[in-house]
Amino acid sequence: MALKVFDLQCANGHVFEGWFASRDAFEDQKARGLLNCPVCGGHDIERKLSAARINLGKGAAQAQTGSAAAKSGETISAMSVPAGSEMAKMQARLLRHLRAAVRATENVGDRFAEEARRIHSGESEERAIRGTATRKERESLAEDGIEVVPIPDFLDDDRMQ
């Protein structure tokens, strides 16, 4: 079954994905109050405008491979998709773990680029840090082989909306 992936947003501005069998399934779940924000638990959920995804051929190739395997008697891997409530619980657990990982870092604020360089060169103790950096600073760090990962606002307690 093909699933529709929608970008959703709650009334508090938290953005997240929702997977549905169809647009009608989304509308039905929304009307019945079954949708909730994995960050704050709010039920006022709206679809955001998002780009369409077009799958050209990969699904057809997989379908052919699957039917050929079925004819030959080979075992085919399958995945069970959890029910809506179980999926929501899994998403909430994942967000809690991600937020805990962010909380376990040291917030160095606008000294991020400087401190990342100091850690990279061995001048400062190696540890997980977070902070703010300009686009130019991030590009300069990348050029020097220092990898950084942006943290979405909804994972960082210091920047929660």
PDB file of all heavy atoms in Angstrom, residues 44-73:
ATOM      1  N   ASP A  44      -5.102  20.556  17.430  1.00  0.00           N
ATOM      2  CA  ASP A  44      -5.423  21.479  16.338  1.00  0.00           C
ATOM      3  C   ASP A  44      -4.325  21.364  15.286  1.00  0.00           C
ATOM      4  O   ASP A  44      -3.326  22.064  15.332  1.00  0.00           O
ATOM      5  CB  ASP A  44      -5.527  22.912  16.876  1.00  0.00           C
ATOM      6  CG  ASP A  44      -6.042  23.884  15.823  1.00  0.00           C
ATOM      7  OD1 ASP A  44      -6.455  23.434  14.731  1.00  0.00           O
ATOM      8  OD2 ASP A  44      -6.006  25.093  16.093  1.00  0.00           O
ATOM      9  N   ILE A  45      -4.502  20.432  14.342  1.00  0.00           N
ATOM     10  CA  ILE A  45      -3.471  20.080  13.360  1.00  0.00           C
ATOM     11  C   ILE A  45      -3.916  20.512  11.966  1.00  0.00           C
ATOM     12  O   ILE A  45      -5.052  20.274  11.566  1.00  0.00           O
ATOM     13  CB  ILE A  45      -3.223  18.552  13.355  1.00  0.00           C
ATOM     14  CG1 ILE A  45      -2.942  18.033  14.756  1.00  0.00           C
ATOM     15  CG2 ILE A  45      -2.131  18.175  12.365  1.00  0.00           C
ATOM     16  CD1 ILE A  45      -1.685  18.538  15.394  1.00  0.00           C
ATOM     17  N   GLU A  46      -2.994  21.112  11.224  1.00  0.00           N
ATOM     18  CA  GLU A  46      -3.266  21.530   9.847  1.00  0.00           C
ATOM     19  C   GLU A  46      -2.184  20.976   8.931  1.00  0.00           C
ATOM     20  O   GLU A  46      -1.042  20.786   9.349  1.00  0.00           O
ATOM     21  CB  GLU A  46      -3.275  23.062   9.733  1.00  0.00           C
ATOM     22  CG  GLU A  46      -4.376  23.740  10.523  1.00  0.00           C
ATOM     23  CD  GLU A  46      -5.773  23.387  10.035  1.00  0.00           C
ATOM     24  OE1 GLU A  46      -5.952  23.154   8.826  1.00  0.00           O
ATOM     25  OE2 GLU A  46      -6.676  23.324  10.886  1.00  0.00           O
ATOM     26  N   ARG A  47      -2.548  20.738   7.678  1.00  0.00           N
ATOM     27  CA  ARG A  47      -1.557  20.352   6.666  1.00  0.00           C
ATOM     28  C   ARG A  47      -0.812  21.587   6.208  1.00  0.00           C
ATOM     29  O   ARG A  47      -1.384  22.638   6.020  1.00  0.00           O
ATOM     30  CB  ARG A  47      -2.251  19.744   5.443  1.00  0.00           C
ATOM     31  CG  ARG A  47      -2.545  18.288   5.585  1.00  0.00           C
ATOM     32  CD  ARG A  47      -3.078  17.674   4.311  1.00  0.00           C
ATOM     33  NE  ARG A  47      -2.123  17.816   3.220  1.00  0.00           N
ATOM     34  CZ  ARG A  47      -2.440  17.837   1.936  1.00  0.00           C
ATOM     35  NH1 ARG A  47      -3.693  17.737   1.579  1.00  0.00           N
ATOM     36  NH2 ARG A  47      -1.528  17.961   1.027  1.00  0.00           N
ATOM     37  N   LYS A  48       0.492  21.446   6.032  1.00  0.00           N
ATOM     38  CA  LYS A  48       1.301  22.525   5.479  1.00  0.00           C
ATOM     39  C   LYS A  48       1.478  22.260   3.986  1.00  0.00           C
ATOM     40  O   LYS A  48       1.408  21.126   3.533  1.00  0.00           O
ATOM     41  CB  LYS A  48       2.684  22.563   6.141  1.00  0.00           C
ATOM     42  CG  LYS A  48       2.656  23.009   7.593  1.00  0.00           C
ATOM     43  CD  LYS A  48       4.045  23.119   8.149  1.00  0.00           C
ATOM     44  CE  LYS A  48       4.911  23.983   7.313  1.00  0.00           C
ATOM     45  NZ  LYS A  48       5.456  25.168   7.825  1.00  0.00           N
ATOM     46  N   LEU A  49       1.734  23.314   3.260  1.00  0.00           N
ATOM     47  CA  LEU A  49       2.029  23.180   1.844  1.00  0.00           C
ATOM     48  C   LEU A  49       3.371  22.482   1.715  1.00  0.00           C
ATOM     49  O   LEU A  49       4.333  22.839   2.387  1.00  0.00           O
ATOM     50  CB  LEU A  49       2.095  24.568   1.194  1.00  0.00           C
ATOM     51  CG  LEU A  49       2.216  24.604  -0.316  1.00  0.00           C
ATOM     52  CD1 LEU A  49       1.031  23.897  -0.967  1.00  0.00           C
ATOM     53  CD2 LEU A  49       2.278  26.039  -0.792  1.00  0.00           C
ATOM     54  N   SER A  50       3.443  21.440   0.894  1.00  0.00           N
ATOM     55  CA  SER A  50       4.708  20.724   0.729  1.00  0.00           C
ATOM     56  C   SER A  50       4.863  20.302  -0.721  1.00  0.00           C
ATOM     57  O   SER A  50       3.889  20.193  -1.461  1.00  0.00           O
ATOM     58  CB  SER A  50       4.760  19.508   1.658  1.00  0.00           C
ATOM     59  OG  SER A  50       3.703  18.619   1.371  1.00  0.00           O
ATOM     60  N   ALA A  51       6.095  20.054  -1.100  1.00  0.00           N
ATOM     61  CA  ALA A  51       6.394  19.659  -2.473  1.00  0.00           C
ATOM     62  C   ALA A  51       5.921  18.229  -2.708  1.00  0.00           C
ATOM     63  O   ALA A  51       6.010  17.375  -1.829  1.00  0.00           O
ATOM     64  CB  ALA A  51       7.891  19.766  -2.725  1.00  0.00           C
ATOM     65  N   ALA A  52       5.465  17.977  -3.903  1.00  0.00           N
ATOM     66  CA  ALA A  52       5.039  16.630  -4.265  1.00  0.00           C
ATOM     67  C   ALA A  52       6.267  15.769  -4.491  1.00  0.00           C
ATOM     68  O   ALA A  52       7.316  16.246  -4.891  1.00  0.00           O
ATOM     69  CB  ALA A  52       4.199  16.680  -5.536  1.00  0.00           C
ATOM     70  N   ARG A  53       6.150  14.487  -4.218  1.00  0.00           N
ATOM     71  CA  ARG A  53       7.240  13.547  -4.467  1.00  0.00           C
ATOM     72  C   ARG A  53       6.782  12.613  -5.566  1.00  0.00           C
ATOM     73  O   ARG A  53       5.724  12.000  -5.463  1.00  0.00           O
ATOM     74  CB  ARG A  53       7.567  12.761  -3.211  1.00  0.00           C
ATOM     75  CG  ARG A  53       8.665  11.749  -3.443  1.00  0.00           C
ATOM     76  CD  ARG A  53       9.042  11.084  -2.115  1.00  0.00           C
ATOM     77  NE  ARG A  53      10.066  10.118  -2.350  1.00  0.00           N
ATOM     78  CZ  ARG A  53       9.843   8.828  -2.576  1.00  0.00           C
ATOM     79  NH1 ARG A  53       8.606   8.379  -2.608  1.00  0.00           N
ATOM     80  NH2 ARG A  53      10.839   8.003  -2.773  1.00  0.00           N
ATOM     81  N   ILE A  54       7.588  12.503  -6.587  1.00  0.00           N
ATOM     82  CA  ILE A  54       7.253  11.629  -7.698  1.00  0.00           C
ATOM     83  C   ILE A  54       8.256  10.499  -7.718  1.00  0.00           C
ATOM     84  O   ILE A  54       9.459  10.723  -7.788  1.00  0.00           O
ATOM     85  CB  ILE A  54       7.275  12.388  -9.041  1.00  0.00           C
ATOM     86  CG1 ILE A  54       6.278  13.539  -8.985  1.00  0.00           C
ATOM     87  CG2 ILE A  54       6.990  11.443 -10.191  1.00  0.00           C
ATOM     88  CD1 ILE A  54       6.330  14.452 -10.185  1.00  0.00           C
ATOM     89  N   ASN A  55       7.762   9.272  -7.647  1.00  0.00           N
ATOM     90  CA  ASN A  55       8.618   8.096  -7.666  1.00  0.00           C
ATOM     91  C   ASN A  55       8.607   7.543  -9.085  1.00  0.00           C
ATOM     92  O   ASN A  55       7.609   7.014  -9.536  1.00  0.00           O
ATOM     93  CB  ASN A  55       8.085   7.076  -6.663  1.00  0.00           C
ATOM     94  CG  ASN A  55       9.054   5.953  -6.426  1.00  0.00           C
ATOM     95  OD1 ASN A  55      10.104   5.899  -7.044  1.00  0.00           O
ATOM     96  ND2 ASN A  55       8.698   5.061  -5.526  1.00  0.00           N
ATOM     97  N   LEU A  56       9.727   7.648  -9.775  1.00  0.00           N
ATOM     98  CA  LEU A  56       9.798   7.215 -11.160  1.00  0.00           C
ATOM     99  C   LEU A  56      10.488   5.864 -11.283  1.00  0.00           C
ATOM    100  O   LEU A  56      11.702   5.786 -11.349  1.00  0.00           O
ATOM    101  CB  LEU A  56      10.542   8.251 -12.009  1.00  0.00           C
ATOM    102  CG  LEU A  56       9.918   9.637 -12.042  1.00  0.00           C
ATOM    103  CD1 LEU A  56      10.809  10.594 -12.804  1.00  0.00           C
ATOM    104  CD2 LEU A  56       8.545   9.586 -12.675  1.00  0.00           C
ATOM    105  N   GLY A  57       9.704   4.810 -11.270  1.00  0.00           N
ATOM    106  CA  GLY A  57      10.234   3.509 -11.604  1.00  0.00           C
ATOM    107  C   GLY A  57      10.700   2.641 -10.453  1.00  0.00           C
ATOM    108  O   GLY A  57      10.691   1.438 -10.574  1.00  0.00           O
ATOM    109  N   LYS A  58      11.158   3.177  -9.370  1.00  0.00           N
ATOM    110  CA  LYS A  58      11.687   2.344  -8.299  1.00  0.00           C
ATOM    111  C   LYS A  58      10.618   1.399  -7.752  1.00  0.00           C
ATOM    112  O   LYS A  58      10.863   0.228  -7.565  1.00  0.00           O
ATOM    113  CB  LYS A  58      12.252   3.198  -7.165  1.00  0.00           C
ATOM    114  CG  LYS A  58      12.908   2.358  -6.099  1.00  0.00           C
ATOM    115  CD  LYS A  58      13.562   3.227  -5.058  1.00  0.00           C
ATOM    116  CE  LYS A  58      14.199   2.346  -3.996  1.00  0.00           C
ATOM    117  NZ  LYS A  58      14.805   3.117  -2.934  1.00  0.00           N
ATOM    118  N   GLY A  59       9.421   1.901  -7.540  1.00  0.00           N
ATOM    119  CA  GLY A  59       8.337   1.067  -7.039  1.00  0.00           C
ATOM    120  C   GLY A  59       7.974  -0.046  -8.004  1.00  0.00           C
ATOM    121  O   GLY A  59       7.730  -1.175  -7.612  1.00  0.00           O
ATOM    122  N   ALA A  60       7.985   0.269  -9.310  1.00  0.00           N
ATOM    123  CA  ALA A  60       7.677  -0.749 -10.319  1.00  0.00           C
ATOM    124  C   ALA A  60       8.733  -1.834 -10.312  1.00  0.00           C
ATOM    125  O   ALA A  60       8.431  -3.025 -10.385  1.00  0.00           O
ATOM    126  CB  ALA A  60       7.575  -0.109 -11.703  1.00  0.00           C
ATOM    127  N   ALA A  61      10.006  -1.454 -10.185  1.00  0.00           N
ATOM    128  CA  ALA A  61      11.086  -2.436 -10.150  1.00  0.00           C
ATOM    129  C   ALA A  61      10.960  -3.309  -8.916  1.00  0.00           C
ATOM    130  O   ALA A  61      11.170  -4.522  -8.973  1.00  0.00           O
ATOM    131  CB  ALA A  61      12.437  -1.731 -10.172  1.00  0.00           C
ATOM    132  N   GLN A  62      10.616  -2.721  -7.785  1.00  0.00           N
ATOM    133  CA  GLN A  62      10.462  -3.496  -6.557  1.00  0.00           C
ATOM    134  C   GLN A  62       9.277  -4.445  -6.673  1.00  0.00           C
ATOM    135  O   GLN A  62       9.335  -5.572  -6.217  1.00  0.00           O
ATOM    136  CB  GLN A  62      10.275  -2.576  -5.358  1.00  0.00           C
ATOM    137  CG  GLN A  62      11.544  -1.859  -4.962  1.00  0.00           C
ATOM    138  CD  GLN A  62      11.303  -0.856  -3.850  1.00  0.00           C
ATOM    139  OE1 GLN A  62      10.185  -0.405  -3.638  1.00  0.00           O
ATOM    140  NE2 GLN A  62      12.356  -0.500  -3.149  1.00  0.00           N
ATOM    141  N   ALA A  63       8.201  -3.991  -7.286  1.00  0.00           N
ATOM    142  CA  ALA A  63       7.022  -4.841  -7.453  1.00  0.00           C
ATOM    143  C   ALA A  63       7.357  -6.037  -8.327  1.00  0.00           C
ATOM    144  O   ALA A  63       6.957  -7.169  -8.049  1.00  0.00           O
ATOM    145  CB  ALA A  63       5.865  -4.047  -8.051  1.00  0.00           C
ATOM    146  N   GLN A  64       8.117  -5.809  -9.419  1.00  0.00           N
ATOM    147  CA  GLN A  64       8.507  -6.909 -10.297  1.00  0.00           C
ATOM    148  C   GLN A  64       9.411  -7.886  -9.564  1.00  0.00           C
ATOM    149  O   GLN A  64       9.266  -9.088  -9.682  1.00  0.00           O
ATOM    150  CB  GLN A  64       9.211  -6.361 -11.544  1.00  0.00           C
ATOM    151  CG  GLN A  64       8.276  -5.634 -12.481  1.00  0.00           C
ATOM    152  CD  GLN A  64       9.022  -4.964 -13.623  1.00  0.00           C
ATOM    153  OE1 GLN A  64      10.239  -4.936 -13.664  1.00  0.00           O
ATOM    154  NE2 GLN A  64       8.272  -4.405 -14.557  1.00  0.00           N
ATOM    155  N   THR A  65      10.368  -7.375  -8.804  1.00  0.00           N
ATOM    156  CA  THR A  65      11.265  -8.223  -8.035  1.00  0.00           C
ATOM    157  C   THR A  65      10.470  -9.060  -7.041  1.00  0.00           C
ATOM    158  O   THR A  65      10.708 -10.256  -6.897  1.00  0.00           O
ATOM    159  CB  THR A  65      12.305  -7.370  -7.281  1.00  0.00           C
ATOM    160  OG1 THR A  65      13.009  -6.588  -8.232  1.00  0.00           O
ATOM    161  CG2 THR A  65      13.269  -8.223  -6.496  1.00  0.00           C
ATOM    162  N   GLY A  66       9.513  -8.439  -6.367  1.00  0.00           N
ATOM    163  CA  GLY A  66       8.693  -9.145  -5.388  1.00  0.00           C
ATOM    164  C   GLY A  66       7.862 -10.241  -6.016  1.00  0.00           C
ATOM    165  O   GLY A  66       7.786 -11.350  -5.505  1.00  0.00           O
ATOM    166  N   SER A  67       7.241  -9.955  -7.179  1.00  0.00           N
ATOM    167  CA  SER A  67       6.408 -10.981  -7.812  1.00  0.00           C
ATOM    168  C   SER A  67       7.272 -12.106  -8.368  1.00  0.00           C
ATOM    169  O   SER A  67       6.879 -13.270  -8.310  1.00  0.00           O
ATOM    170  CB  SER A  67       5.538 -10.362  -8.910  1.00  0.00           C
ATOM    171  OG  SER A  67       6.343  -9.848  -9.954  1.00  0.00           O
ATOM    172  N   ALA A  68       8.473 -11.797  -8.861  1.00  0.00           N
ATOM    173  CA  ALA A  68       9.369 -12.837  -9.350  1.00  0.00           C
ATOM    174  C   ALA A  68       9.820 -13.731  -8.204  1.00  0.00           C
ATOM    175  O   ALA A  68       9.890 -14.956  -8.341  1.00  0.00           O
ATOM    176  CB  ALA A  68      10.593 -12.219 -10.043  1.00  0.00           C
ATOM    177  N   ALA A  69      10.104 -13.121  -7.053  1.00  0.00           N
ATOM    178  CA  ALA A  69      10.520 -13.895  -5.888  1.00  0.00           C
ATOM    179  C   ALA A  69       9.382 -14.782  -5.405  1.00  0.00           C
ATOM    180  O   ALA A  69       9.608 -15.924  -5.015  1.00  0.00           O
ATOM    181  CB  ALA A  69      10.977 -12.964  -4.767  1.00  0.00           C
ATOM    182  N   ALA A  70       8.163 -14.251  -5.450  1.00  0.00           N
ATOM    183  CA  ALA A  70       7.009 -15.028  -5.001  1.00  0.00           C
ATOM    184  C   ALA A  70       6.810 -16.247  -5.896  1.00  0.00           C
ATOM    185  O   ALA A  70       6.512 -17.337  -5.419  1.00  0.00           O
ATOM    186  CB  ALA A  70       5.756 -14.157  -5.001  1.00  0.00           C
ATOM    187  N   LYS A  71       6.993 -16.068  -7.228  1.00  0.00           N
ATOM    188  CA  LYS A  71       6.838 -17.186  -8.162  1.00  0.00           C
ATOM    189  C   LYS A  71       7.895 -18.260  -7.918  1.00  0.00           C
ATOM    190  O   LYS A  71       7.638 -19.435  -8.063  1.00  0.00           O
ATOM    191  CB  LYS A  71       6.913 -16.685  -9.604  1.00  0.00           C
ATOM    192  CG  LYS A  71       5.702 -15.898 -10.037  1.00  0.00           C
ATOM    193  CD  LYS A  71       5.871 -15.380 -11.450  1.00  0.00           C
ATOM    194  CE  LYS A  71       4.729 -14.448 -11.819  1.00  0.00           C
ATOM    195  NZ  LYS A  71       4.951 -13.802 -13.108  1.00  0.00           N
ATOM    196  N   SER A  72       9.116 -17.826  -7.571  1.00  0.00           N
ATOM    197  CA  SER A  72      10.202 -18.790  -7.386  1.00  0.00           C
ATOM    198  C   SER A  72      10.191 -19.410  -5.988  1.00  0.00           C
ATOM    199  O   SER A  72      10.999 -20.267  -5.697  1.00  0.00           O
ATOM    200  CB  SER A  72      11.552 -18.112  -7.644  1.00  0.00           C
ATOM    201  OG  SER A  72      11.826 -17.187  -6.611  1.00  0.00           O
ATOM    202  N   GLY A  73       9.311 -18.928  -5.103  1.00  0.00           N
ATOM    203  CA  GLY A  73       9.213 -19.482  -3.761  1.00  0.00           C
ATOM    204  C   GLY A  73      10.198 -18.891  -2.771  1.00  0.00           C
ATOM    205  O   GLY A  73      10.334 -19.384  -1.669  1.00  0.00           O
TER     206      GLY A  73
END
